[in-house]
Amino acid sequence: KMISPLAAAGHRVIVPDLIGFGRSDKPTSPMQYTFLAHLRWLTEFVTKLDLRGLTYFGHDWGCMLGLAVLVQSEARFVRAAIGNTHLIVPGNRP
């Protein structure tokens, strides 16, 4: 619901489809559906596209992944907003 209004307002909106979800390819092994695998794929996505000056908005499951990407690629982001998610702290892993 938010992509079209943001794009219409002139913002570039990038919404990656997580691997194995939606219309993306489906890994054959359930062991490929790990937090670390998704983190690696998303970090590679941001790096290969050389995205910079990003505003990150994360929600729900995607927020945990997105915040981890933000931490690993902090220089690429200028701001972040999060909503309805889970905070990962030592001893509390997804």
Side-chain angles (χ1 to χ4, degrees), residues 42-55:
L42 282 173
T43 301
E44 185 176 321
F45 174 81
V46 170
T47 302
K48 285 195 174 187
L49 291 178
D50 195 25
L51 300 174
R52 299 180 182 280
L54 298 169
T55 296

Side-chain angles (χ1 to χ4, degrees), residues 74-91:
E74 184 179 344
R76 296 179 180 278
F77 294 85
V78 295
R79 66 187 65 85
I82 61 173
N84 191 29
T85 192
H86 178 82
L87 179 62
I88 300 171
V89 295

